[in-house]
């Protein structure tokens, strides 16, 4: 998942002043020409919903409204109101059906998908298999698409009759989790805002933009707000300023390096798949020993780091999968057990000077590099270095420029490095730890780990739980990298959030048909 996985936020509740006047008689902003089952279908609208008087979002004037290519958090948030996808991910990253009616595996690398009947775009045109094929092919093939990596396993998408046929380059039993891709009407991708089927639609009046409820939305009637005002900003700092001044109802921040915006009296957060981790040179002594890598993982006090360095905007993670399978012993913080593992690997204090030694003449020294641009990473590493030093491991944290970091990684002239990686919702980590992974900078390889990776991607129906457990157990034993935390997306509001506010990772407005003013 790319930046879009960080997703969006909402707010509601108590009336904010800052509506756009003149959105009474609107013209649509998009005007193109007409052209195994997973999860549960979306619910229907609730009755007795009390509307808020006003609600305002920011839109980035330098970014477009095309949901396949927009990269600003402001416009991605708007896209969640205007477009729907085949599936949406819940808080445990399990795919729930939206536009998809069924997804059936018809071969080792082939699937047949059917869409819900009767769903309409904002233009009034009914969604067809041709629209789905158009959207998925654009999402995976367009150079400006933010979904290219996510859909890299797909080799072709075609349709015949009412069926969409998807073929893969390699097995992926969790394909549904990758199909949270906005569906737009074929031929409208060049419009200012392509034709979508979400609960709100973008309109323009007197040069001003706003969102109004889509009366034919398949999810039911939306009574939360009759018109969502949109205010133009040039960047995320501008959106934060609008929240501080009380002009904005909701702000979403997807980067932990961003300080929480002032004026946010009410906050919430949603999980993401952006993993913070320590990469390890598994070809270098003593890091070629799995016990040493596991011990270093056990010396990482993740819960403390999440609270002090991320200010709670992350979830501690000693394994790179959500949720962690039951009965899997994760390498959590445990100083005593870590020191025992190091001693088993021949690393202990040989001369009673308080520091661990690899041999009588060689101390165990750890060097960790990171991109000096990121202060949060520096704070995490300083705290980790203090913990390692207390355990008798001399540690140097080395800030470098981006170019210097890349050079050391390419040349394998590193011990540990601080990395970030936004995984797809199938939690495929092959890029970092498989033999042919493009981010496997030390050439790590283990046959059992490779088998576990493949098993996680190609389990049969009913075997998912076992595949996840075997993968997690193998990772815990091998520790090819050291996970730190999964970052969270921060949602800030100057007004009280609705009682029904239960945002999901890539659908902050989940359940909007039930939202009511406080």
């Amino acid at each position: 998942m790319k930046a879009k996985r960080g997703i969006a936020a909402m707010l509601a509740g108590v009336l904010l002043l800052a509506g756009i006047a003149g959105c009474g008689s609107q013209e649509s902003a998009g005007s193109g020409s007409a052209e195994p089952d997973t999860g549960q279908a979306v619910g229907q609208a609730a009755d007795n919903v009390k509307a808020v008087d006003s609600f305002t979002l920011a839109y980035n004037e330098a970014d477009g409204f095309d949901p396949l290519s927009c990269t600003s958090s402001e416009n991605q948030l708007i896209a969640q109101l205007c477009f729907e996808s085949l599936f949406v991910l819940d808080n445990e990253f399990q795919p729930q059906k939206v536009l998809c009616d069924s997804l059936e595996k018809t071969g080792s690398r082939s699937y047949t998908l059917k869409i819900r009947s009767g769903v309409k775009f904002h233009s009034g045109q009914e969604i067809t298999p041709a629209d789905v094929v158009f959207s998925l092919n654009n999402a995976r093939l367009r150079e400006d698409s933010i979904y290219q990596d996510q859909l890299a396993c797909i080799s072709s998408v075609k349709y015949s009759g009412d069926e969409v046929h998807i073929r893969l380059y390699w097995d992926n039993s969790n394909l549904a989790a990758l199909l949270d891709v906005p569906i737009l009407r074929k031929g409208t991708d060049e419009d200012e805002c392509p034709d979508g089927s979400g609960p709100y639609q973008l309109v323009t009046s007197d040069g001003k933009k706003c969102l109004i409820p889509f009366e034919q939305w398949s999810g039911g009637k939306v009574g939360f707000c009759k018109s969502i005002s949109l205010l133009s900003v040039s960047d995320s700092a501008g959106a934060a300023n609008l929240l501080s001044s009380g002009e904005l109802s909701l702000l979403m921040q997807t980067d932990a390096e961003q300080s929480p915006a002032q004026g946010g009296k009410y906050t919430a957060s949603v999980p993401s798949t952006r993993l913070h981790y320590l990469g390890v040179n598994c070809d270098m002594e003593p890091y070629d020993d799995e016990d040493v890598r596991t011990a270093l993982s056990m010396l990482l006090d993740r819960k403390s780091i999440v609270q002090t360095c991320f200010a709670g905007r992350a979830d501690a993670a000693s394994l790179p999968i959500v949720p962690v399978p039951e009965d899997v012993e994760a390498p959590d913080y445990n100083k005593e057990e870590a020191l025992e593992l190091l001693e088993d690997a021949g690393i202990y204090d040989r001369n009673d000077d308080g520091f661990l030694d690899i041999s009588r003449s060689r101390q165990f020294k750890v060097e960790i590099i990171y991109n000096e641009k990121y202060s949060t990473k520096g704070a995490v590493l300083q705290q980790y270095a203090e913990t390692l030093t207390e355990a008798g491991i001399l540690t140097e944290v080395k800030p470098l420029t981006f170019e210097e970091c890349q050079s050391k990684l390419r040349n394998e002239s590193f011990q540990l490095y601080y990395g970030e990686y936004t995984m797809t919702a199938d939690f495929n980590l092959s890029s970092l730890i498989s033999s042919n992974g493009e981010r496997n900078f030390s050439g790590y390889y283990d046959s059992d780990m490779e088998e576990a990776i493949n098993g996680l991607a190609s389990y049969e129906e009913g075997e998912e739980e076992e595949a996840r457990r075997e993968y997690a157990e193998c990772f815990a034993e091998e520790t090819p990298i050291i996970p730190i935390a999964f970052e969270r997306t921060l949602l800030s509001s100057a007004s009280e959030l609705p009682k029904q506010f239960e945002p999901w990772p890539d659908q902050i407005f989940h359940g909007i048909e039930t939202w009511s003013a406080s």
Side-chain angles (χ1 to χ4, degrees):
M1 302 183 198
K2 295 206 167 190
K4 71 111 189 169
R5 287 272 189 231
I7 352 214
M10 137 291 130
L11 175 74
V14 182
L15 355 158
L16 284 181
L17 301 166
I20 290 185
C23 262
S25 59
Q26 307 93 339
E27 297 178 358
S28 174
S31 58
S33 57
E35 293 280 343
D37 289 8
T38 306
Q40 313 209 355
V42 291
Q44 293 299 307
D47 295 327
N48 303 318
V49 169
K50 181 181 178 182
V52 297
D53 286 355
S54 65
F55 193 79
T56 305
L57 296 175
Y59 78 93
N60 191 309
E61 58 191 17
D63 200 10
F65 290 108
D66 185 340
L68 302 183
S69 61
C70 66
T71 57
S72 66
S73 58
E74 295 80 24
N75 291 16
Q76 288 176 356
L77 184 57
I78 293 170
Q80 290 186 27
L81 285 169
C82 295
F83 298 90
E84 294 178 302
S85 52
L86 295 168
F87 293 87
V88 66
L89 302 175
D90 65 20
N91 276 327
E92 292 191 336
F93 299 98
Q94 295 302 302
Q96 306 297 331
K97 291 186 293 185
V98 181
L99 296 180
C100 177
D101 182 62
S102 66
L103 179 65
E104 179 185 1
K105 189 172 184 179
T106 53
S108 62
R109 298 181 183 177
S110 59
Y111 289 78
T112 296
L113 181 147
K114 290 186 177 182
I115 60 174
R116 291 172 55 207
S117 62
V119 179
K120 293 184 178 181
F121 288 115
H122 298 153
S123 61
Q125 300 292 320
E126 189 167 321
I127 295 179
T128 69
D131 298 309
V132 172
V133 170
F134 174 81
S135 299
L136 293 182
N137 280 334
N138 271 270
R140 70 187 186 89
L141 298 174
R142 258 174 43 186
E143 291 185 2
D144 63 344
S145 171
I146 60 177
Y147 294 90
Q148 275 192 319
D149 291 347
Q150 179 174 325
L151 302 180
C153 64
I154 296 179
S155 62
S156 68
V157 186
K158 301 178 181 179
Y159 75 94
S160 60
D162 63 348
E163 296 181 338
V164 175
H165 304 287
I166 302 174
R167 291 192 60 83
L168 308 181
Y169 287 114
W170 57 83
D171 289 343
N172 195 324
S173 298
N174 203 12
L175 175 64
L178 306 181
L179 297 181
D180 59 333
V181 177
I183 302 301
L184 48 96
R185 182 161 61 89
K186 181 179 179 181
T188 66
D189 52 311
E190 296 296 328
D191 291 355
E192 178 184 10
C193 183
D195 200 5
S197 61
Y200 280 84
Q201 61 185 112
L202 179 68
V203 297
T204 300
S205 179
D206 298 328
K208 296 180 180 180
K209 302 181 188 300
C210 66
L211 302 175
I212 61 172
F214 176 40
E215 297 298 332
Q216 299 182 71
W217 182 47
S218 62
K221 182 179 179 181
V222 179
F224 167 66
C225 188
K226 295 180 179 179
S227 178
I228 297 176
S229 304
L230 301 182
L231 295 182
S232 172
V233 297
S234 58
D235 52 31
S236 58
N241 290 335
L242 287 178
L243 184 75
S244 300
S245 64
E247 298 176 78
L248 196 65
S249 298
L250 180 71
L251 178 70
M252 175 182 78
Q253 293 177 292
T254 60
D255 190 345
E257 290 290 331
Q258 296 175 307
S259 299
Q262 296 181 355
K265 298 179 181 179
Y266 300 87
T267 61
S269 64
V270 290
S272 81
T273 58
R274 180 186 277 187
L275 177 68
H276 290 242
Y277 68 96
L278 296 177
V280 185
N281 191 336
C282 299
D283 282 345
M284 178 184 290
E285 186 190 6
Y287 310 107
D288 56 352
D289 189 322
E290 62 190 45
D291 283 347
V292 174
R293 300 193 299 266
T294 302
L296 291 175
S297 182
M298 288 182 168
L299 288 170
L300 186 63
D301 191 349
R302 297 170 176 86
K303 291 182 179 179
S304 176
I305 284 173
V306 162
Q307 293 305 315
T308 58
C309 301
F310 289 94
R313 293 168 59 182
D315 295 311
S318 53
L319 292 173
I321 191 169
V322 176
V324 173
E326 294 182 5
D327 303 325
V328 174
E329 188 174 348
D332 294 321
Y333 181 63
N334 189 321
K335 181 179 177 180
E336 290 184 3
E337 189 171 342
L339 292 176
E340 289 176 3
L341 283 174
L342 289 173
E343 186 168 359
D344 290 343
I347 300 175
Y348 56 93
D349 186 359
R350 298 172 185 269
N351 51 17
D352 295 325
D353 65 352
F355 292 98
L356 307 187
D357 306 291
I358 295 176
S359 65
R360 293 192 66 85
S361 60
R362 182 184 172 197
Q363 284 185 324
F364 182 27
K365 298 180 180 180
V366 174
E367 179 186 86
I368 314 175
I369 64 174
Y370 76 101
N371 187 337
E372 63 185 2
K373 177 181 177 182
Y374 299 106
S375 59
T376 298
K377 293 181 175 63
V380 169
L381 294 181
Q382 288 300 332
Q383 185 167 325
Y384 184 41
E386 291 175 6
T387 303
L388 291 180
T389 301
E390 290 173 0
I393 302 173
L394 290 172
T395 306
E396 179 184 5
V397 174
K398 200 168 184 179
L400 301 174
T401 65
F402 172 78
E403 292 74 18
E404 290 171 333
C405 285
Q406 291 299 303
S407 176
K408 283 188 172 291
L409 295 180
R410 284 194 301 268
N411 296 319
E412 295 187 29
S413 57
F414 68 94
Q415 295 180 31
L416 276 68
Y417 72 91
Y418 193 124
E420 266 184 66
Y421 183 61
T422 302
M423 290 191 284
T424 48
D426 56 355
F427 292 92
N428 186 334
L429 206 60
S430 58
S431 175
L432 298 180
I433 62 176
S434 70
S435 56
N436 59 351
E438 67 272 17
R439 295 168 64 99
N440 184 353
F441 297 115
S442 69
Y444 167 81
Y445 173 79
D446 179 81
S447 58
D448 290 338
M449 191 76 254
E450 204 85 357
E451 184 178 345
I453 293 171
N454 293 334
L456 188 63
S458 58
Y459 57 81
E460 297 296 328
E461 185 177 356
E463 298 178 354
E464 179 181 4
E465 185 176 343
E466 178 66 18
R468 290 169 65 89
R469 185 172 65 254
E470 290 181 358
Y471 171 79
E473 288 177 344
C474 187
F475 187 97
E477 182 177 338
E478 274 291 306
T479 316
I481 63 171
I482 301 174
I484 301 173
F486 283 108
E487 195 171 319
R488 293 182 73 89
T489 295
L490 178 65
L491 313 175
S492 301
S493 165
S495 295
E496 186 177 358
L497 297 165
K499 293 180 180 179
Q500 305 87 353
F501 183 55
E502 297 180 357
W504 281 357
D506 62 356
Q507 183 44 270
I508 301 304
F509 301 97
H510 164 63
I512 192 172
E513 67 276 8
T514 69
W515 289 4
S516 183
S518 299

